[in-house]
Amino acid sequence: MGLVGSLQVVVLVALTSTATGLDIPLEVEQPPTIITYTSGPMVALPFDNKITIRCEARGNPPPEYRWTKDGEDFVPPYVTTDYPDGTFVLHNKGLIAFKGKYRCYASNKLGTAMTEEIELRVPSMPKFPKEFNFPVVVKEGEPIILECNPPEGMAPRQIYWMSSDLEHIEQDERVSMSTDGNLYFSNALQNDSRQDYCCFAHFFKIRTIVQKADMAVVVKSLKPGNESADAGNATQAPPARIPSMLLPSGVQTEKVLLRGENLQLECIPQGYPTPTVKWMKMGDKLPLRTQMNNFGKLLFISSIHESDGGKYMCKAQNSAGEVVHYFNVIVDDPPKWETEPPHSQLTVIGTDVHIKCSVSGKPLPDITWRRNGDVIIDDPGSNKQVFDDTLVLLNARAQDSAVYQCEASNPHGSILANINIMVMNMAPRILTRDFQEYAVVQGEDIVMNCSVFSSPPPNISWAKDETLEIVKAERFLAVDGDLKILSAEKNDRGKYLCVASNTEGNSSITAVLDVKDSTKIVYAPQDLQIISGTTAQLMCQAEVDKSLLGAFEVVWRKDGEEIPLSSEENSRYFMDDGMLQIMSVNLSDQGRYTCIARTILDEDNATALLTVLDVPDAPKNVEILELKSQRNVCLSWVPGSDHNSSVTEFIVEYEESQWEPGRWKELKKVAGNQETAEVALQGHLNYQFRVYAVNVVGPGPPSEPTERYKTPPAAPDKNPENIRIRGHLPHQLDISWEPLLPIEHNAPGLEYKVSYRKLGVEDVWKEHLVQRHSFVVSNTSTFIPFEIKIQSRNSHGWGPDPKVATGYSGEDVPTAAPRDIAVEVINTTLLRVSWTPAPPATVRGHLGGYVVHWLRKRSWLEPNRILDDRKMLFFPGKRTLAIVPGLEPFSEYILTVNVLNKKGNGPNSDPVTFNTPEGAPDPVPILTASNAQKDSILLVWAPPLKTNGILTGYLLQHHLVNETTLEAVVSQETNITGADTTQWQLRGLEEGSLYRFHLRACTRAGCGPPLAQESRTPVTAALPVLLNISSYVSDTFAKISWIAETEQQDSELYVAYMNNRDGNWLVTEAVNASRSFHVIDGLKPGTVYTVRLMAKRLVDNASIFEDVIQTRDKAKGVLRSNFLTQGWFIGTMCAVALLTLVALMACFVRRNQGGKYAGTPPPSSTQRQDMVSMEKVKERENLHSDAESQGMKDDTFCEFSDSEEKPLKGGSLRSLPGDEALGDSVSRGSLDDYGNVGREFNEDGSFIGEYSGFTHRGSVSEPSAPRPVKA
């Protein structure tokens, strides 16, 4: 790529100016100095997008730029903004027009600097010209030259000669290709004839290969008498030909090269037989670097020196004669500076200025002098005189200040130097900033700068500001105008004055020095041993001067290399508060870690050694040595590195190829200080062994396996183990055992001898040989003991004498039951059972235990209801007593016991009947506090789910709570004797106080656990007065309407509603009371909701009204139109309409006679148990006398549309659960145990929820006559 990365060319960029020797600060006016430019030549490739030519200079004033191309002014087509002003970009399109030599000029009012010529080469895409090649016809023995003439292109270039099938033309001493690409035949042979000689040129840089048109060669054979003949006639060998040069031509060639280039001299002769080529250097030996290539025809010397110049000769000879060719090799040099380019100079007016341009080269370069880019013409009357390589300015004046150029050139190139000559008289100008602040730590050196520009040079002195005395102590040194203080001390701090003066004037500045405390590591890292794979922690803490904390940092180096600390996830190095953590340490982390605590002024360091402990390396050179027999061998090995942790043990493993090839198993362990192990082997196996070492870190890798080692066959070394004797059937003995492992067979033909006899009687051993590892003895008695022996045998003999095992034949189910069953009722849920065991002979097997069965026949709460609640418990082992838990109180039970063995249960014992006593009831499932007044609260609850006896009433305790300590202050107890009572009005309470209530249900056995609830008596406050509250319910929305009195028109109301299925309340935004209605939308069809109207956003006991509504179901029972037109359907609907009319009339009559509920007595105790409504329904007809406007719900006698309006019920409500709840809470979860039974609505639309499925949210109390309602 080129300068901007888009061109694949070699570009040298000069990064420093050639005007050297004078460093003038840019604050001083000065002529331009070229600091960067593109050094050519530049080569643009065809597929490059653009090429950038750079030129940048510095000067004061800033320089302006211009360019020339081939000596003519050139205006760049596009000057880039990515680089300084002198740089321009040429785009690929039409780039050929910009080929040439460029020069950059940078000018300001003080002079002009210029660059060397920058050559831009734009090669065209290489291709061979279209041409027709006539066949080359020669006689045998004559030479052939096939010309390639490859096109020019981007170097490097490679030439190939191939056939049309892309097969290389074979080359040798007779046939070869020269460096110019032509193919030379020293003499033609018959087999050189072919039609497809092709020349290919490969240009690597542009990745291009071009092909020349095919060329044909016809070689005619010779008849006797040297007459040519066509192929097929008799031929003879060609006549001898004296050698001559096909390449090069003539007798002598001159070869001029530059020092460092590669020398190639080529001689390709013709002749028959094929000549051989020899090389020599006249008057000298060939250099040792000389190489002979191309079958001796090409002499190659790399990077030639001046001593390689001279005359070379090549000689080609054969049996017919010889020919020679001479090469005169000349080694030249391009121009170069003998030492360095001439320096820029600053001088005072009236002095002589000498500019010497010392160059060398071969031939000697010509020197051209320029001033500001213009050639200096030698004028005797001018003060500018040229003497050979020196330009002299006599009695220089200020107007002689300029940029002078020295350009030296010869045929091999040119070099150019810009020399800035500044002639002036100027008073000192201090370039260092006044009141520059310096800081140094105590004991270190500091240099305070005083950079001065003046002409003539200034005298510079330093003084301490307080005393104005010249600083002359031993620790204070003047270095080029700067002041250097050695080993700074605290009393060196302060202000220092630098004074510069010359004949033109003087100037001064002040420097401020502060001496700070040095940085010290106070907690250095400690040497550490760490296990590979874990995390290493190295701590480093330092003290630093407080003023340097902002520039303080801690860095770590490992073995001298800084550790890269990165926040990336894959980084293993982390540092926090001076601690270096190395995650997943491995062996490469071992080394010396240096902590460097540094500021911008100084640093301190400390080093610790980190030793990594890793698993041992694999042992080496594992060898096998036989001992007393072939089945006892000794293994030896050479331990590997233990990686800083001593080996604790070596483990020998084996693998055998017969039974489990490829699976390695542990054979033996030896101590870590041993290097041998003796092992006993099984017979008839083909082993190989390996060893691995273990240290405290863990096991290391295994060694390389040994060669195979085969053991001879032998009799078994052991008999089967783990003999199991069972009886799967009553008259059967099942014998099984753990067979020998395959590697334990020791020889082929393994089988087992099974011997058995009855135990305890005179009986002979019965024997059987089997190959499997089980055996069955049939026709045995039930549960009889036997003695059994198992012995192994193979083709080489018997195993050792076996041991005797005992066992029993098969079991059968027991035949008798336990006797004398006795029960003792411990409490309402616990029972003690005892029995006399069945006779052992009837068990007929191993005793498993006893099973107790009990049946709950009835509950004495419902004596006429027969139950079938069966349960059982298993009690293992031999026993006569058991404790049975989990009984139900106040119930009748039947109990039996049976014995159990592995075969099954025996018969049940005679049943025993018993009763459990009455118990204390379960806690009440729900307790709510509602209708809170200033001195009373209404408590409503539901009966306990399980009474465990006959309910006698409730025990109510209420406690006045201190809201600071949350402790009870005053406690009272109330006995509620009515078993049917589910609510209680507590009176005589204190206004605005917090109370805690505990309610227990009681039977004759006592009272159950309490359910707690808290509530507060309100402080009397006025609430909005609303009239005629009603609702209109549809399938997905409900409309709540009301009438507010005039003084309440500006009050704010809130509507809350809850889906009774999930218990989550939603509260609307504030609604102005004057609006008279609010619509709740987004409801689910066919769903029961509880609705509240409140004066506060928080749903608490100050709620105004509550009601339960149910949305309509969508489109139930829609019939097709053709069904509706049937006659029978029309008749049926008419009858239904008539019956509905009669029902409505009856309903109206009853309501006019006092209402369905007016004057009715309270529900009976049976009704209270069946219905779990938590409210007493009161009469509502007087509140809304128009009966036709009252909504009727499903499942009621008088049914109107679901969407008609109905009055809402008033009452105090409990608070919402969750964060918004401020009032009393409701334990809704306790009602879930009631299941999901039926539910119904009363005639005015309010919900009579049964405890089976819904939680009531509060009691409802309505007035008996039309009046304003207040909470």
Side-chain angles (χ1 to χ4, degrees):
M1 289 296 176
L3 191 60
V4 295
S6 61
L7 302 177
Q8 292 185 347
V9 294
V10 179
V11 179
L12 300 177
V13 179
L15 297 178
T16 58
S17 169
T18 56
T20 60
L22 181 62
D23 185 14
I24 303 175
L26 198 57
E27 295 89 342
V28 179
E29 284 194 347
Q30 56 188 284
T33 300
I34 302 291
I35 57 174
T36 301
Y37 70 96
T38 301
S39 178
M42 301 182 65
V43 181
L45 302 181
F47 48 77
D48 291 329
N49 296 324
K50 59 184 178 180
I51 186 168
T52 303
I53 302 179
R54 297 182 62 182
C55 179
E56 181 182 355
R58 63 190 290 267
N60 187 2
E64 297 178 352
Y65 299 87
R66 67 182 179 89
W67 286 86
T68 62
K69 175 178 175 290
D70 298 329
E72 302 292 333
D73 286 341
F74 171 76
V75 178
Y78 174 68
V79 177
T80 179
T81 58
D82 297 335
Y83 298 99
D85 293 340
T87 299
F88 66 92
V89 174
L90 299 175
H91 291 279
N92 186 279
K93 188 174 183 180
L95 196 60
I96 190 69
F98 295 99
K99 181 170 63 175
K101 296 182 178 180
Y102 294 83
R103 199 187 290 267
C104 171
Y105 294 86
S107 306
N108 65 12
K109 66 179 183 179
L110 300 179
T112 300
M114 57 187 288
T115 66
E116 297 177 351
E117 286 188 331
I118 306 168
E119 181 180 5
L120 175 61
R121 300 174 185 173
V122 186
S124 59
M125 183 64 73
K127 62 181 178 179
F128 283 100
K130 294 182 179 180
E131 58 184 350
F132 175 76
N133 297 316
F134 291 97
V136 177
V137 181
V138 297
K139 297 177 183 179
E140 266 191 299
E142 294 180 348
I144 303 174
I145 301 176
L146 298 182
E147 296 182 352
C148 180
N149 297 326
E152 295 296 327
M154 181 73 178
R157 179 187 67 186
Q158 181 72 43
I159 307 299
Y160 307 96
W161 281 91
M162 308 175 74
S163 67
S164 58
D165 295 333
L166 300 181
E167 294 181 357
H168 284 277
I169 303 299
E170 187 176 351
Q171 299 185 32
D172 52 21
E173 291 83 354
R174 184 179 66 88
V175 181
S176 60
M177 182 184 70
S178 67
T179 54
D180 60 7
N182 296 339
L183 188 64
Y184 293 87
F185 296 74
S186 294
N187 50 75
L189 299 179
Q190 188 69 35
N191 57 9
D192 293 331
S193 297
R194 63 188 306 153
Q195 304 295 316
D196 57 351
Y197 284 94
C198 300
C199 178
F200 293 84
H202 183 192
F203 297 89
F204 296 96
K205 206 74 169 180
I206 60 176
R207 301 184 293 276
T208 300
I209 299 177
V210 293
Q211 176 186 357
K212 188 173 183 177
D214 295 358
M215 289 178 279
V217 172
V218 179
V219 179
K220 293 187 175 183
S221 61
L222 297 174
K223 286 184 178 181
N226 290 341
E227 295 180 5
S228 63
D230 294 332
N233 297 326
T235 62
Q236 66 178 21
R241 295 174 62 91
I242 299 174
S244 64
M245 290 295 175
L246 296 177
L247 185 76
S249 60
V251 178
Q252 180 170 316
T253 301
E254 184 175 86
K255 195 84 168 180
V256 179
L257 293 93
L258 296 179
R259 187 196 307 268
E261 292 183 340
N262 297 329
L263 172 64
Q264 295 186 100
L265 303 179
E266 193 170 30
C267 281
I268 300 180
Q270 64 91 11
Y272 188 85
T274 302
T276 58
V277 178
K278 294 182 179 180
W279 292 88
M280 65 184 65
K281 184 177 181 183
M282 308 301 291
D284 200 355
K285 293 181 179 180
L286 289 173
L288 296 177
R289 308 186 317 280
T290 304
Q291 301 176 23
M292 299 299 175
N293 299 330
N294 198 16
F295 309 100
K297 303 172 189 178
L298 178 64
L299 180 143
F300 178 84
I301 302 176
S302 63
S303 187
I304 64 170
H305 311 309
E306 188 174 359
S307 61
D308 296 326
K311 184 168 288 188
Y312 291 79
M313 183 188 76
C314 74
K315 179 191 292 186
Q317 63 183 11
N318 62 7
S319 58
E322 64 181 31
V323 64
V324 298
H325 189 89
Y326 297 96
F327 295 90
N328 186 22
V329 177
I330 302 172
V331 181
D332 282 355
D333 277 320
K336 63 179 181 180
W337 306 112
E338 287 191 346
T339 53
E340 57 183 348
H343 292 177
S344 297
Q345 300 179 39
L346 172 64
T347 186
V348 296
I349 297 173
T351 59
D352 293 340
V353 179
H354 293 75
I355 307 172
K356 186 173 180 61
C357 194
S358 299
V359 295
S360 62
K362 185 179 178 183
L364 193 65
D366 296 327
I367 297 177
T368 303
W369 292 94
R370 291 184 176 87
R371 181 180 186 273
N372 294 331
D374 298 327
V375 176
I376 297 177
I377 301 174
D378 194 5
D379 182 4
S382 171
N383 70 330
K384 302 176 185 64
Q385 301 294 320
V386 177
F387 301 97
D388 296 329
D389 60 355
T390 302
L391 174 64
V392 179
L393 304 180
L394 302 173
N395 193 21
R397 296 159 295 176
Q399 54 267 35
D400 290 325
S401 297
V403 182
Y404 292 83
Q405 288 87 23
C406 163
E407 186 173 25
S409 58
N410 70 5
H412 304 299
S414 64
I415 55 176
L416 181 141
N418 288 284
I419 307 102
N420 291 358
I421 302 299
M422 298 183 66
V423 183
M424 65 173 66
N425 288 0
M426 182 178 178
R429 178 178 177 181
I430 300 180
L431 304 175
T432 303
R433 182 169 61 89
D434 198 8
F435 284 95
Q436 175 76 43
E437 294 182 354
Y438 298 89
V440 65
V441 296
Q442 189 172 356
E444 296 293 329
D445 300 343
I446 181 67
V447 175
M448 292 185 286
N449 300 321
C450 188
S451 178
V452 182
F453 178 79
S454 69
S455 181
N459 293 318
I460 300 175
S461 61
W462 287 83
K464 193 78 180 289
D465 194 29
E466 289 85 352
T467 62
L468 294 181
E469 294 181 0
I470 302 299
V471 177
K472 293 182 179 180
E474 292 183 358
R475 295 187 299 107
F476 294 82
L477 305 176
V479 182
D480 295 331
D482 298 334
L483 177 62
K484 183 175 184 179
I485 303 177
L486 305 178
S487 300
E489 300 174 356
K490 285 285 187 178
N491 56 11
D492 292 335
R493 65 177 62 178
K495 297 179 181 179
Y496 292 80
L497 188 68
C498 170
V499 180
S501 60
N502 65 4
T503 56
E504 304 297 319
N506 58 66
S507 182
S508 66
I509 61 166
T510 298
V512 181
L513 176 63
D514 187 12
V515 181
K516 301 180 181 294
D517 293 328
S518 61
T519 302
K520 294 181 181 178
I521 293 178
V522 294
Y523 189 91
Q526 305 297 313
D527 292 347
L528 179 66
Q529 287 188 340
I530 191 75
I531 294 177
S532 177
T534 60
T535 299
Q537 294 182 340
L538 296 173
M539 177 62 74
C540 180
Q541 292 183 346
E543 290 181 348
V544 63
D545 192 287
K546 293 182 179 180
S547 63
L548 298 176
L549 283 175
F552 172 70
E553 66 174 347
V554 176
V555 297
W556 288 85
R557 288 195 177 101
K558 176 184 178 293
D559 298 331
E561 297 292 331
E562 185 164 336
I563 298 175
L565 297 175
S566 173
S567 59
E568 299 178 1
E569 292 184 1
N570 58 358
S571 176
R572 295 193 304 114
Y573 298 98
F574 298 94
M575 191 179 74
D576 182 26
D577 194 23
M579 176 185 289
L580 175 67
Q581 296 191 67
I582 309 173
M583 317 299 290
S584 301
V585 172
N586 55 50
L587 288 173
S588 65
D589 295 317
Q590 182 168 291
R592 302 189 69 82
Y593 286 79
T594 302
C595 163
I596 302 174
R598 66 188 181 194
T599 65
I600 56 175
L601 299 181
D602 71 332
E603 66 180 40
D604 192 13
N605 64 76
T607 300
L609 178 63
L610 178 65
T611 303
V612 178
L613 309 181
D614 205 350
V615 297
D617 284 345
K620 301 175 183 178
N621 304 330
V622 181
E623 297 180 351
I624 304 173
L625 177 65
E626 288 187 6
L627 296 176
K628 299 178 182 178
S629 69
Q630 291 181 301
R631 292 180 57 192
N632 289 273
V633 299
C634 178
L635 298 176
S636 64
W637 57 86
V638 176
S641 172
D642 62 6
H643 293 306
N644 307 309
S645 177
S646 299
V647 174
T648 58
E649 62 181 357
F650 289 98
I651 298 179
V652 179
E653 293 184 316
Y654 75 93
E655 181 263 353
E656 49 82 22
S657 59
Q658 181 177 355
W659 300 106
E660 293 182 286
R663 181 179 178 185
W664 290 89
K665 300 179 181 178
E666 182 178 317
L667 181 60
K668 190 172 184 178
K669 294 180 180 179
V670 297
N673 57 358
Q674 290 186 223
E675 298 180 10
T676 60
E678 296 183 8
V679 292
L681 306 179
Q682 299 291 337
H684 196 53
L685 291 178
N686 195 8
Y687 283 95
Q688 63 177 351
F689 306 94
R690 69 183 187 185
V691 183
Y692 66 88
V694 179
N695 61 12
V696 295
V697 181
S703 67
E704 291 294 323
T706 64
E707 297 291 332
R708 290 283 178 183
Y709 180 81
K710 191 169 185 178
T711 57
D717 295 325
K718 59 185 294 189
N719 291 314
E721 298 176 348
N722 295 330
I723 300 174
R724 295 179 293 277
I725 305 168
R726 296 172 182 158
H728 297 296
L729 296 176
H731 304 290
Q732 183 173 296
L733 179 66
D734 298 279
I735 307 170
S736 63
W737 56 89
E738 186 176 307
L740 298 186
L741 297 175
I743 63 171
E744 296 172 338
H745 290 189
N746 282 356
L750 181 75
E751 57 186 358
Y752 305 98
K753 182 176 73 173
V754 181
S755 305
Y756 62 92
R757 69 181 179 184
K758 292 182 181 179
L759 178 66
V761 296
E762 294 294 331
D763 197 7
V764 297
W765 289 97
K766 298 179 181 179
E767 298 177 348
H768 297 272
L769 281 175
V770 297
Q771 293 182 344
R772 61 184 183 274
H773 55 277
S774 64
F775 183 75
V776 177
V777 181
S778 303
N779 300 321
T780 66
S781 299
T782 301
F783 203 61
I784 298 299
F786 280 86
E787 289 181 308
I788 295 97
K789 295 189 297 184
I790 312 292
Q791 188 176 18
S792 56
R793 187 185 76 168
N794 63 17
S795 59
H796 275 66
W798 290 94
D801 291 336
K803 296 180 180 179
V804 178
T806 59
Y808 286 82
S809 59
E811 300 183 17
D812 206 346
V813 295
T815 59
R819 305 184 307 275
D820 305 327
I821 310 300
V823 299
E824 178 187 354
V825 178
I826 298 176
N827 57 34
T828 58
T829 62
L830 201 62
L831 179 73
R832 179 184 290 109
V833 183
S834 61
W835 60 84
T836 300
T842 65
V843 177
R844 301 204 296 174
H846 295 286
L847 176 65
Y850 293 86
V851 181
V852 179
H853 304 263
W854 65 94
L855 165 68
R856 186 185 181 205
K857 187 175 180 180
R858 63 170 57 85
S859 169
W860 293 115
L861 293 175
E862 297 177 287
N864 297 326
R865 180 185 174 190
I866 302 302
L867 304 176
D868 190 21
D869 185 6
R870 299 176 183 271
K871 294 183 181 179
M872 58 171 285
L873 269 180
F874 170 67
F875 299 93
K878 186 177 181 180
R879 61 198 305 155
T880 60
L881 181 68
I883 301 298
V884 177
L887 303 179
E888 295 290 337
F890 208 45
S891 299
E892 180 183 359
Y893 283 90
I894 298 176
L895 181 143
T896 61
V897 183
N898 65 263
V899 68
L900 174 72
N901 64 15
K902 294 182 180 178
K903 207 64 181 179
N905 290 321
N908 288 333
S909 66
D910 294 334
V912 176
T913 301
F914 66 92
N915 293 310
T916 55
E918 191 173 356
D922 286 0
V924 296
I926 185 170
L927 172 64
T928 65
S930 61
N931 197 21
Q933 306 295 327
K934 66 178 181 178
D935 60 350
S936 66
I937 291 178
L938 177 65
L939 298 177
V940 181
W941 61 87
L945 297 176
K946 292 183 179 181
T947 59
N948 299 328
I950 300 173
L951 197 64
T952 60
Y954 298 89
L955 176 63
L956 174 62
Q957 296 171 317
H958 66 276
H959 314 277
L960 177 62
V961 177
N962 185 322
E963 297 190 40
T964 302
T965 63
L966 297 180
E967 294 180 353
V969 178
V970 178
S971 299
Q972 295 186 30
E973 193 172 278
T974 304
N975 284 311
I976 303 172
T977 58
D980 297 337
T981 304
T982 58
Q983 64 180 31
W984 191 265
Q985 185 81 30
L986 274 177
R987 302 184 184 276
L989 305 180
E990 296 183 11
E991 181 179 355
S993 299
L994 178 64
Y995 283 87
R996 183 179 299 131
F997 308 98
H998 292 91
L999 182 68
R1000 293 177 170 86
C1002 301
T1003 63
R1004 289 173 296 185
C1007 296
L1011 179 65
Q1013 182 61 277
E1014 288 186 355
S1015 184
R1016 176 189 304 278
T1017 54
V1019 178
T1020 305
L1023 295 175
V1025 179
L1026 303 179
L1027 301 174
N1028 297 338
I1029 305 175
S1030 62
S1031 67
Y1032 176 89
V1033 184
S1034 181
D1035 52 355
T1036 60
F1037 70 89
K1039 178 182 177 183
I1040 311 301
S1041 304
W1042 63 83
I1043 297 175
E1045 292 187 349
T1046 303
E1047 61 272 14
Q1048 302 293 340
Q1049 290 289 328
D1050 294 330
S1051 300
E1052 288 187 344
L1053 302 175
Y1054 297 88
V1055 178
Y1057 59 97
M1058 174 188 70
N1059 186 330
N1060 285 9
R1061 293 177 183 172
D1062 56 29
N1064 293 325
W1065 284 95
L1066 297 175
V1067 183
T1068 67
E1069 297 297 329
V1071 180
N1072 195 282
S1074 62
R1075 184 176 175 183
S1076 299
F1077 72 91
H1078 179 75
V1079 176
I1080 307 172
D1081 56 6
L1083 306 180
K1084 296 181 180 179
T1087 304
V1088 177
Y1089 289 87
T1090 299
V1091 181
R1092 293 181 179 179
L1093 194 61
M1094 305 167 296
K1096 297 180 180 179
R1097 181 171 177 81
L1098 299 178
V1099 182
D1100 57 13
N1101 288 342
S1103 303
I1104 302 172
F1105 284 98
E1106 135 178 308
D1107 199 10
V1108 178
I1109 63 174
Q1110 183 177 25
T1111 53
R1112 299 178 60 192
D1113 287 335
K1114 281 189 175 180
K1116 281 190 176 181
V1118 178
L1119 302 177
R1120 294 187 178 92
S1121 59
N1122 58 354
F1123 175 77
L1124 298 177
T1125 58
Q1126 300 296 320
W1128 64 269
F1129 177 77
I1130 297 174
T1132 301
M1133 294 305 298
C1134 291
V1136 171
L1138 180 61
L1139 292 174
T1140 302
L1141 180 61
V1142 173
L1144 290 174
M1145 292 175 63
C1147 180
F1148 292 157
V1149 168
R1150 290 193 62 186
R1151 294 178 69 86
N1152 291 335
Q1153 291 176 351
K1156 180 176 178 181
Y1157 303 110
T1160 58
S1164 66
S1165 61
T1166 302
Q1167 292 171 332
R1168 290 182 181 273
Q1169 291 178 356
D1170 293 340
M1171 300 182 60
V1172 222
S1173 170
M1174 296 191 306
E1175 56 182 311
K1176 291 183 180 181
V1177 182
K1178 293 187 177 182
E1179 211 172 81
R1180 300 192 51 178
E1181 286 78 6
N1182 292 333
L1183 179 62
H1184 199 290
S1185 59
D1186 186 1
E1188 293 183 356
S1189 67
Q1190 297 186 20
M1192 305 292 181
K1193 288 293 182 178
D1194 294 342
D1195 300 331
T1196 60
F1197 179 72
C1198 301
E1199 179 175 351
F1200 283 175
S1201 169
D1202 287 341
S1203 61
E1204 291 184 358
E1205 289 193 2
K1206 60 187 181 67
L1208 291 174
K1209 297 184 297 180
S1212 299
L1213 304 179
R1214 290 179 306 278
S1215 61
L1216 278 169
D1219 294 338
E1220 293 186 357
L1222 295 180
D1224 295 344
S1225 60
V1226 180
S1227 179
R1228 297 191 307 274
S1230 60
L1231 289 184
D1232 294 341
D1233 298 333
Y1234 280 86
N1236 186 13
V1237 195
R1239 61 183 183 274
E1240 59 180 335
F1241 294 80
N1242 59 15
E1243 291 177 346
D1244 61 4
S1246 61
F1247 171 59
I1248 304 176
E1250 295 193 5
Y1251 285 111
S1252 58
F1254 297 91
T1255 302
H1256 195 277
R1257 298 293 169 177
S1259 64
V1260 178
S1261 177
E1262 294 192 5
S1264 59
R1267 61 179 178 83
V1269 180
K1270 293 184 180 179

